[in-house]
Amino acid sequence: MTKAASDLFPDHDGASLKEVRGDATHATGILPAHAIRALIREKEIWAAKEIEDAQVQPASLDLRLGPVAYRLRASFLPGEGSAVMDKVEEFALHKIDLSEGAVLETGCVYLVPLLEALALSERTGAAANPKSSTGRLDIFTRVITDFGTEFDQVEPGYKGHLYLEVSPRTFPILVRQGSRLSQIRFRRGEARHSDTELRHLHEQHKLVDGGEPNIDGGLGLTVDLSGDRETGLVGYRAKRHSAVIDVDRPGAYEVLDFWDPVYVRGAKRIILDPDEFYILASREAVHVPATHAAEMVPYNPLVGEFRVHYAGFFDPGFGAGEAGGTGSRAVLEVRSHEVPFILEDGQIIGRLVYERLTGKPTALYGTGIGSNYQRQGLKLSKHFKS
């Protein structure tokens, strides 16, 4: 890092570890809300515009779009020798003012500098993911860092700005400065559970309902194509060439203006059409205990030509009784590639990995903090009317 960058992003490695951990019981793990607030106080997380308390989730921080966006010729990673804005100068087609709102078109790639920046200690790294509502709108987003060689990954000790690549896939979207499309988790060390530890955690907390869980490189989730008893509804397929969706307007849109319902008749299967976007649900009701966070990871790509779950973070308390849940289904964002693909009821479609927190969060996912998807079944994003 250059001297100028070092001056701009001072090293807070000497900050009080006790304060940052809060009431931590583990030296490694995902940082809960009170530890994230401590990072904000210590200026390891900072922003040009004051960070709002509502941005802090039980085990993550919502990231906000800045005042401008750049339409790009193509996606890129800066690599070890370049800052992001150096690449933007080379690949940007034009600059867009987001201060009063602007429409981002489908099929285009945009780069937005975020309001939040980091000056992390050497013991703290981070990973980003689209927010649940972002994934359910088929908006492809990835966080990029200066000198980064991977998307959505922030190396321990990173000191610099954050940038968001945004590519709406199905619906054109209206965004503005402050819109929240992505979220970031902070972690110390490696705290992902092995399969043996995951089986023990299931014995303690019953991570999924039903019989014996499928645990092999994570907790296996299967797709529910049994169909609603009265209608046979199993999911939704996104309509193309729809109207614009304002990402900051919950409950504003009619479902059938944007989605075609998907039904089963007889055989419990559907055919995924190539490059179409589907919302489906898991058969299992998922439970994330207060001491843990979870993440959906891609299932073995050799078993099918489809991608599942753009937005993979599950907060502590998701589906948990202590947070107002009774087990919540995992909503699956599914896109097939290249060829039509037959999806069968009960087919494994993804895996959840669990990581412990450094300490119990002060708030859990649920209605108490205005979470939109507690106790969910098959559910579209919050932007659509019930």
Side-chain angles (χ1 to χ4, degrees):
M1 180 176 293
T2 65
K3 182 178 186 298
S6 179
D7 291 343
L8 182 59
F9 302 102
D11 191 350
H12 290 280
D13 201 34
S16 168
L17 181 59
K18 182 179 180 181
E19 181 180 8
V20 172
R21 283 183 186 161
D23 60 353
T25 56
H26 299 285
T28 60
I30 301 295
L31 299 189
H34 61 271
I36 294 173
R37 290 189 174 94
L39 293 181
I40 296 170
R41 290 194 302 271
E42 292 294 324
K43 303 300 182 182
E44 291 194 38
I45 307 169
W46 61 277
K49 187 177 180 180
E50 183 179 1
I51 297 174
E52 302 167 14
D53 191 63
Q55 289 177 245
V56 182
Q57 302 300 315
S60 63
L61 176 74
D62 291 348
L63 300 172
R64 300 169 296 176
L65 301 184
V68 298
Y70 298 90
R71 167 77 190 280
L72 301 178
R73 290 166 51 194
S75 173
F76 68 84
L77 277 169
E80 294 180 354
S82 299
V84 171
M85 292 307 296
D86 294 337
K87 296 290 188 181
V88 169
E89 290 179 6
E90 183 178 357
F91 297 126
L93 298 176
H94 61 269
K95 184 177 179 180
I96 303 167
D97 183 4
L98 299 184
S99 58
E100 299 299 325
V103 173
L104 305 186
E105 300 288 352
T106 58
C108 299
V109 181
Y110 301 88
L111 194 284
V112 186
L114 296 171
L115 292 178
E116 287 73 33
L118 302 176
L120 297 177
S121 72
E122 295 300 326
R123 63 175 69 87
T124 305
N129 225 301
K131 289 177 59 63
S132 293
S133 296
T134 303
R136 297 182 202 207
L137 290 177
D138 198 19
I139 306 169
F140 189 61
T141 71
R142 299 187 288 197
V143 166
I144 308 174
T145 62
D146 289 323
F147 314 105
T149 58
E150 293 182 283
F151 292 109
D152 283 334
Q153 299 299 313
V154 180
E155 290 294 318
Y158 176 74
K159 295 171 176 61
H161 292 284
L162 299 173
Y163 307 84
L164 189 68
E165 177 187 299
V166 183
S167 182
R169 304 297 304 277
T170 297
F171 308 122
I173 58 172
L174 176 62
V175 300
R176 56 190 58 78
Q177 177 177 323
S179 295
R180 305 175 193 174
L181 300 181
S182 187
Q183 57 193 338
I184 190 167
R185 270 184 182 171
F186 300 91
R187 79 167 38 82
R188 291 206 173 92
E190 179 57 51
R192 180 176 293 187
H193 280 330
S194 67
D195 287 347
T196 299
E197 292 169 325
L198 198 55
R199 291 187 184 95
H200 181 63
L201 189 66
H202 176 73
E203 292 173 0
Q204 291 179 304
H205 296 283
K206 195 172 177 60
L207 303 179
V208 290
D209 62 356
E212 188 69 19
N214 183 310
I215 296 177
D216 182 10
L219 182 67
L221 295 183
T222 62
V223 63
D224 183 4
L225 298 179
S226 59
D228 180 86
R229 291 183 179 180
E230 295 183 2
T231 66
L233 179 71
V234 295
Y236 296 91
R237 184 174 67 177
K239 292 183 177 182
R240 294 187 177 273
H241 313 296
S242 68
V244 173
I245 292 179
D246 186 334
V247 299
D248 298 317
R249 289 188 64 199
Y253 302 100
E254 296 290 345
V255 170
L256 295 182
D257 290 341
F258 295 85
W259 301 91
D260 288 319
V262 177
Y263 302 99
V264 292
R265 296 285 187 269
K268 297 178 180 180
R269 66 170 68 99
I270 61 173
I271 297 177
L272 302 176
D273 291 325
D275 207 32
E276 298 293 332
F277 182 70
Y278 297 82
I279 294 291
L280 306 171
S282 68
R283 286 202 307 185
E284 297 82 7
V286 175
H287 172 200
V288 182
T291 53
H292 286 72
E295 182 178 357
M296 178 82 81
V297 294
Y299 188 50
N300 185 350
L302 299 179
V303 303
E305 293 295 324
F306 57 85
R307 173 191 171 99
V308 178
H309 229 281
Y310 292 80
F313 286 168
F314 289 70
D315 270 338
F318 180 84
E322 59 196 294
T326 55
S328 298
R329 308 287 164 175
V331 165
L332 308 168
E333 301 127 14
V334 180
R335 179 182 293 280
S336 182
H337 299 299
E338 306 300 338
V339 296
F341 185 79
I342 296 173
L343 200 58
E344 304 272 2
D345 181 50
Q347 184 171 340
I348 292 181
I349 202 167
R351 291 194 179 274
L352 278 180
V353 295
Y354 283 72
E355 294 181 80
R356 66 169 178 258
L357 305 180
T358 58
K360 189 171 181 178
T362 52
L364 298 178
Y365 187 91
T367 54
I369 60 169
S371 305
N372 293 290
Y373 306 116
Q374 188 68 294
R375 290 183 287 185
Q376 70 179 359
L378 175 66
K379 187 174 176 62
L380 296 171
S381 80
K382 65 184 179 182
H383 304 88
F384 299 99
K385 297 177 182 179
S386 299

